[in-house]
């Protein structure tokens, strides 16, 4: 499940709203862009070869920005949300890894960008990461992203040394 | 051992007719291992005696096989005729090895399409505790809430039944048991706020015949008029009135361990897991029947008695460990006993007809209670160890929530030595909980619980236990928590494995180490013994660290470059001795 481009842009700028409202906005994002028309399904035939480039070059899309990037106060709020939304019960205190992977090691299964982390939390991931977008809305998810991005990756993790010389 | 022999006799009389269809399959023919604990009584005792303390030092590996799967390899293989069956952790591959041919090649393998989503709903790694053989079928559970029956000869699916709902936090890791026409199954999810249950399926079709909840209203628990006789308590709606408000609805009490069965009394026995959430103040009351043993009729699930080991569980003390049935002499009297090593650190000897406690003594260091009052059946609690959201950080609780023994590590009983054998743990915890809301499909926990070593300078031990007096007879200390199941044989050899990857044979009378071999990954499975088609005795064991240790020693995981974990302070050098793996080993003389 990939976020519809319009939906993501709206999501990134949405003000806080009750979760159900945000969920409606999220699933009806295309209507937000063209309110009076049904979505237009693109005809076969690709105008821009970059859209089908092999090797994983992504098509140009909207820039999904974290509105709180680097905001320490939001990161602190996110640390609380990480506990109250049960994230810590699966990812451990300080996101150090338990049922779900370590989220503080600076390494990411699904991409290191804020947008990728947002997608993981908003839509869930297949190996048992629940989707929280419906409950938290985009704003809540960005708060969590900001918290996770604030965790300093330990500098010495790639090497685990068991002997002292 | 009249009772034990009676069970064996009934069982072997029926095994021959099992192929005919509806007849129950019982204890193994001498030398087979057709059910999780070897027999209905869950003794994990093998009548084979070729391997003995004199020749055990000559044991050596004769075969090994990589399952191709990582994750905690709990449980045990089965051996039926000349075939060995192995179930892996998720994705729950089933292998059938031909023991009659050199190198034991596969006859077939079965690969179910198990949902990936179940991985996140499994509290403690994607383990599976094994299969059961009956009526020509291998029956086992898939993590994503299905029970499957596979033709033991061909590997083709016979039936598949959805028994549990991953969306509601239910996953299935337990080892089923077949009793008569019933396949007995249960679900994990004590960490996900489930409404715990056990089910009886029809052996021929997989149809769910009955579902008995472990808590809540009497009707849902299959309490039938005049048939429920718990020792120590009486009255109706005990599973409802012992929970504040409707907290029972997400109260947990899962079934993720083992089932045993007494044919003479026609009672099946199983333990239930912890109550949820971990904040006990959100569920005032005894919280029956979480952390309990329940006795039911296999045919229709009728609840006959129940006894709660840890009322108002405030420490995650599941009682899902094995219920071992043996006839013991206590104070000069023969008693039909049920022996259980609980996570809470007490070993209980109950009368399995009534559920009354005969003996209850600590088998490891504990601080949460002083003793068990035999008159009331209740623990004499240490008030300083009560936890809850108003209690702050409660320090020095022993055992930890991993248990004085893990329920994943079933013990064994030898009618030769009259002793029980089990892995044990020796570490404690500090415990902080916070109030928590129920969010479907996410953990209903809210706990932080760092561990500290127990006294004595060791973290685990393999012990021999006298259940008639409640006393440790001998103890083999281990540097790490001891997490494997136990096996004991008529040759007076006991077997277990260690978290740092040693497979060990010890003298069942003294605990003396006879043989050890490094099997490549930590052992969290349970050994079995069988007689091969060549007439010789073998012992099989899984290697493959995991289960809780996939979470606790995250630095033993190496397969995902995007998931690096720091060592656990309790066992900070465990990863220097073991890493994940998945191997089946066979040892012989």
């Amino acid at each position: 499940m990939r976020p519809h481009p319009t939906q993501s842009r709206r999501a990134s700028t949405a003000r806080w709203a009750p979760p159900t409202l945000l969920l409606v906005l999220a699933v009806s994002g295309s209507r937000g862009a063209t309110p009076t028309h049904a979505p237009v399904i693109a005809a076969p035939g690709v105008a821009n070869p970059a859209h089908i480039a092999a090797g994983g070059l992504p098509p140009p899309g909207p820039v999904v920005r974290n509105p709180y990037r680097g905001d320490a106060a939001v990161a602190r709020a996110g640390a609380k949300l990480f506990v109250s939304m049960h994230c810590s019960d699966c990812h451990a205190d300080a996101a150090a890894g338990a049922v779900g992977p370590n989220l503080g090691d600076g390494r990411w299964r699904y991409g290191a960008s804020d947008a990728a982390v947002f997608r993981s939390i908003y839509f869930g991931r297949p190996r048992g990461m629940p989707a929280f977008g419906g409950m938290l809305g985009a704003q809540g998810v960005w708060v969590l992203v900001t918290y996770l991005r604030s965790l300093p990756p330990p500098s010495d993790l790639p090497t685990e040394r068991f002997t002292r010389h | 051992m009249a009772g034990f022999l009676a069970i064996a006799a009934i069982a072997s009389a029926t095994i021959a007719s099992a192929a005919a269809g509806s007849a129950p399959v019982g204890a193994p023919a001498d030398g087979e291992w057709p059910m999780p604990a070897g027999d209905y009584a869950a003794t994990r005792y093998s009548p084979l005696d070729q391997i003995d303390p004199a020749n055990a030092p000559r044991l050596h590996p004769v075969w090994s096989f990589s399952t191709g799967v990582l994750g905690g390899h709990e449980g045990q293989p089965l051996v039926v005729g000349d075939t060995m069956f192995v179930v892996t952790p998720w994705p729950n591959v089933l292998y059938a090895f031909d023991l009659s041919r050199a190198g034991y090649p596969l006859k077939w393998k079965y690969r179910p399409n198990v949902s990936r989503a179940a991985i996140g709903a499994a509290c403690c790694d994607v383990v599976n505790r094994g299969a059961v053989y009956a009526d020509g079928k291998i029956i086992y559970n898939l993590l994503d809430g299905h029970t499957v029956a596979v033709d033991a000869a061909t590997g083709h699916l016979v039936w598949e039944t959805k028994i549990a709902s991953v969306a509601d936090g239910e996953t299935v890791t337990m080892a089923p048991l077949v009793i008569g026409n019933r396949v007995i199954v249960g679900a994990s999810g004590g960490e996900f706020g489930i409404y715990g249950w056990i089910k009886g399926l029809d052996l021929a079709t997989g149809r769910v015949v009955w579902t008995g909840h472990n808590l809540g209203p009497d009707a849902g628990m299959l309490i039938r008029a005049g048939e429920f006789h718990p020792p120590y308590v009486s009255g109706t709606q005990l599973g409802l009135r012992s929970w504040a408000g409707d907290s029972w609805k997400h109260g947990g009490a899962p079934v993720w361990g083992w089932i045993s069965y007494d044919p003479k009394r026609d009672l099946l026995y199983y333990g239930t897991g912890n109550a949820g959430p971990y904040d006990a103040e959100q569920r005032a009351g005894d919280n029956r029947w979480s952390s309990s043993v329940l006795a039911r009729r296999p045919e229709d699930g009728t609840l006959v008695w129940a006894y709660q080991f840890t009322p108002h569980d405030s420490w995650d003390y599941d009682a899902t460990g094995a219920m071992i049935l043996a006839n013991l002499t206590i104070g000069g009297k023969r008693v039909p006993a049920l022996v259980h090593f609980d996570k809470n650190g007490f070993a209980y000897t109950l009368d399995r007809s009534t559920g009354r406690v005969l003996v209850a003594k600590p088998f490891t260091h504990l601080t949460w209670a002083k003793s068990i009052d035999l008159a009331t059946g209740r623990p004499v609690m240490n008030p300083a160890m009560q936890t809850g959201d108003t209690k702050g950080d409660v320090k020095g609780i022993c055992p930890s929530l991993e248990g004085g023994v893990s329920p994943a590590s079933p013990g064994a009983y030898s009618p030769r030595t009259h002793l029980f054998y089990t892995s044990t743990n020796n570490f404690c915890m500090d415990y902080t909980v916070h109030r928590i809301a129920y969010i479907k499909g996410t953990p209903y926990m809210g706990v932080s619980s760092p561990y500290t070593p127990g006294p004595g300078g060791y973290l685990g031990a393999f012990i021999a236990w006298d259940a008639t007096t409640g006393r440790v007879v001998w103890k083999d200390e281990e540097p790490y928590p001891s997490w494997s199941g136990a096996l004991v044989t008529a040759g007076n050899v006991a077997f277990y494995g260690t978290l740092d990857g040693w497979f060990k044979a010890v003298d069942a009378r003294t605990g003396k180490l006879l043989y050890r071999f490094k099997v490549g990954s930590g052992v969290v499975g349970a050994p079995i013994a069988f007689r091969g088609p060549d007439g010789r005795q073998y012992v099989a064991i899984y290697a493959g660290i995991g289960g809780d240790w996939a979470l606790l020693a995250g630095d033993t995981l190496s397969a995902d470059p995007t998931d690096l974990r720091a060592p656990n302070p309790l066992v900070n050098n465990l990863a220097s001795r073991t890493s994940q793996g998945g191997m089946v080993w066979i040892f012989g003389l």
Side-chain angles (χ1 to χ4, degrees):
Chain A
M1 244 209 297
R2 283 169 169 275
H4 188 283
T6 318
Q7 159 197 327
S8 297
R9 196 183 300 119
R10 171 171 286 276
S12 68
T13 56
R15 303 287 292 260
W16 183 259
T20 42
L21 175 58
L22 282 167
L23 182 61
V24 171
L25 290 174
V27 297
S28 61
S30 57
R31 254 200 292 139
T34 50
T36 52
H37 302 289
V40 177
I41 310 294
V46 176
N48 185 343
H51 288 173
I52 52 165
L57 183 66
V63 181
V64 181
R65 267 194 36 252
N66 179 356
Y68 309 119
R69 200 184 170 103
D71 187 326
V74 171
R76 281 195 299 277
K80 292 211 179 92
L81 200 53
F82 194 78
V83 174
S84 63
M85 290 310 295
H86 307 186
C87 315
S88 59
D89 288 317
C90 278
H91 289 280
D93 296 341
V99 170
N102 186 342
L103 306 174
D105 56 3
R107 300 185 177 195
W108 300 91
R109 276 186 197 168
Y110 297 102
S113 68
D114 281 18
V117 177
F118 177 94
R119 280 194 288 270
S120 292
I121 304 168
Y122 198 97
F123 295 102
R125 293 293 185 187
R127 293 167 72 96
M129 166 63 194
F132 284 90
M135 245 176 297
L136 287 171
Q139 192 183 20
V141 173
W142 281 126
V143 169
L144 285 164
V145 172
T146 307
Y147 162 63
L148 293 177
R149 305 302 304 218
S150 77
L151 295 170
S155 56
D156 57 346
L157 265 183
T159 304
E160 186 174 357
R161 213 166 124 179
F162 301 99
T163 53
R164 259 178 250 119
H165 291 284
Chain B
M1 292 313 98
F4 172 81
L5 290 176
I7 292 171
I10 291 168
S12 40
T14 54
I15 200 162
S17 59
S22 61
V25 173
D30 171 33
E32 294 193 328
W33 200 279
M35 58 181 96
D39 56 27
Y40 274 148
T43 62
R44 293 184 186 266
Y45 169 79
S46 166
L48 301 179
D49 61 3
Q50 286 178 11
I51 300 169
D52 59 31
N55 62 25
R58 296 206 319 270
L59 281 165
H60 57 272
V62 297
W63 179 85
S64 63
F65 186 90
S66 166
T67 63
V69 176
L70 298 179
H73 282 60
E74 293 186 353
Q76 58 291 307
L78 300 179
V79 171
V80 180
D82 61 4
T83 311
M84 180 173 73
F85 300 93
V86 167
V87 180
T88 73
W90 186 95
N92 304 136
V93 179
L94 174 61
Y95 291 109
F97 297 96
D98 187 346
L99 300 176
S100 69
R101 292 169 60 200
Y104 307 159
L106 284 174
K107 289 181 168 172
W108 49 260
K109 70 177 175 182
Y110 173 74
R111 297 183 57 198
N113 188 8
V114 190
S115 158
R116 292 184 294 181
I119 296 171
C123 75
C124 319
D125 196 12
V126 293
V127 299
N128 184 289
R129 301 196 173 85
V132 62
Y133 169 83
D135 191 23
K137 300 186 267 279
I138 297 291
I139 299 165
Y140 71 107
N141 293 311
L142 311 183
L143 188 69
D144 68 357
H146 294 80
T147 305
V148 292
V150 176
D151 187 310
T154 66
H156 290 301
L157 184 70
V158 180
W159 52 255
E160 171 164 7
T161 301
K162 182 175 189 288
I163 58 163
S165 159
V166 173
D168 292 318
E170 295 172 346
T171 51
V172 185
T173 60
M174 59 85 76
L177 192 69
V178 172
I179 304 168
N181 292 323
R182 293 288 170 267
V183 182
I184 311 298
V185 294
S188 312
E191 278 61 47
F192 282 75
I194 69 164
Y195 173 26
W197 48 261
I198 187 167
K199 292 181 204 270
L201 317 183
D202 176 52
L203 174 60
T205 64
R207 183 176 59 87
V208 178
V209 180
W210 56 262
T211 300
H213 287 277
N214 302 321
L215 65 176
D218 279 359
M221 292 187 57
L222 303 183
I223 290 175
R224 298 186 165 113
E227 300 212 44
F228 181 47
H229 304 288
Y232 310 113
V233 283
S234 56
T236 58
Q237 306 297 359
L238 295 168
L240 203 58
R241 292 194 282 109
S242 58
W243 296 82
D246 60 2
S247 56
W248 58 271
K249 285 187 178 163
H250 295 297
V255 177
W256 53 268
W258 319 92
I259 317 282
S260 46
Y261 175 60
D262 178 346
K264 187 168 160 207
R265 290 169 180 78
D266 192 31
L267 288 176
L268 71 85
Y269 306 93
Y270 67 102
T272 57
N274 62 283
Y278 279 30
D279 178 7
E281 290 176 17
Q282 285 182 239
R283 45 175 172 81
D286 277 351
N287 307 144
R288 297 189 182 101
W289 296 95
S290 66
S291 299
S292 302
V293 51
L294 283 74
R296 293 182 184 272
R297 299 266 174 243
E299 180 67 24
D300 63 1
T302 300
L303 188 63
V304 174
W305 61 257
Y307 167 72
Q308 189 170 44
F309 299 105
T310 311
H312 189 57
D313 168 35
S314 307
W315 311 273
D316 185 29
Y317 288 156
D318 301 72
T320 42
M323 306 296 162
I324 307 173
L325 314 184
N327 295 333
L328 304 176
T329 304
I330 299 179
K333 264 181 60 187
R334 281 306 265 176
V335 282
L338 176 159
V339 174
H340 170 70
F341 297 90
D342 199 86
K343 261 175 102 173
N344 72 18
F346 287 97
Y348 296 78
T349 306
L350 309 185
D351 181 326
R352 69 174 179 269
S353 303
T354 62
R356 289 197 81 84
V357 185
L358 305 171
V359 181
K361 289 276 161 59
F363 61 88
T364 188
H365 178 65
L366 57 82
T367 61
W368 70 279
K370 295 189 177 64
S371 58
I372 307 297
D373 180 342
L374 294 189
T376 62
R378 296 183 75 89
V380 181
M381 304 244 194
N382 177 350
M385 295 294 144
Q386 287 292 324
T387 70
D389 62 75
T390 66
K391 299 284 194 329
D393 185 8
V394 182
K395 295 193 182 297
I397 301 168
C398 312
S400 80
L401 62 76
E402 301 300 334
V405 56
S406 167
S409 320
Y413 170 68
S414 166
R416 296 249 162 144
T417 61
H418 306 288
L419 297 178
F420 291 78
Y421 301 88
T422 185
S423 282
T424 65
N425 298 319
N426 178 31
F427 56 102
C428 307
M429 65 179 171
D430 303 337
Y431 200 83
T432 315
V433 286
H434 58 263
R435 290 191 83 77
I436 191 166
Y438 176 75
I439 304 175
K440 184 175 151 120
T442 73
Y444 195 40
M445 295 173 69
V447 69
S448 168
S449 59
Y451 302 148
T452 52
Y458 59 96
L459 291 175
F462 187 73
I463 64 166
W465 176 259
D466 178 348
T468 66
T469 57
R471 144 188 102 82
V472 174
V473 176
W474 53 253
K475 174 163 82 171
D476 287 344
E477 293 176 2
E478 289 288 343
Y480 300 102
S482 189
W483 216 262
S484 90
L487 164 71
V488 64
T489 65
N492 279 342
V493 182
F495 297 86
Y496 71 106
T498 70
L499 269 193
D500 52 338
W502 293 102
F503 178 58
K504 294 188 176 181
V506 300
D507 188 317
R509 298 160 302 188
T510 63
K512 181 175 174 255
L513 181 67
L514 303 170
Y515 172 75
R516 67 174 194 166
F517 183 81
K518 195 86 157 75
V519 288
S521 180
V523 177
V524 295
I528 67 160
F530 64 93
R531 179 185 288 119
D534 59 2
R536 292 163 185 245
Q537 180 185 349
Y538 296 95
V539 178
I541 181 79
Y542 296 153
I545 195 169
D548 286 18
W549 291 94
L551 314 182
L552 299 175
D555 57 338
T556 61
L557 318 181
S558 310
D560 180 354
T562 69
D563 186 5
L564 301 185
R565 303 193 188 182
N568 184 315
L570 183 75
V571 289
N572 62 10
N573 62 356
L574 180 57
S576 72
R577 311 196 181 247
T578 185
S579 198
Q580 271 192 303
M583 296 283 283
V584 193
W585 289 90
I586 296 181
F587 291 81
L589 288 172

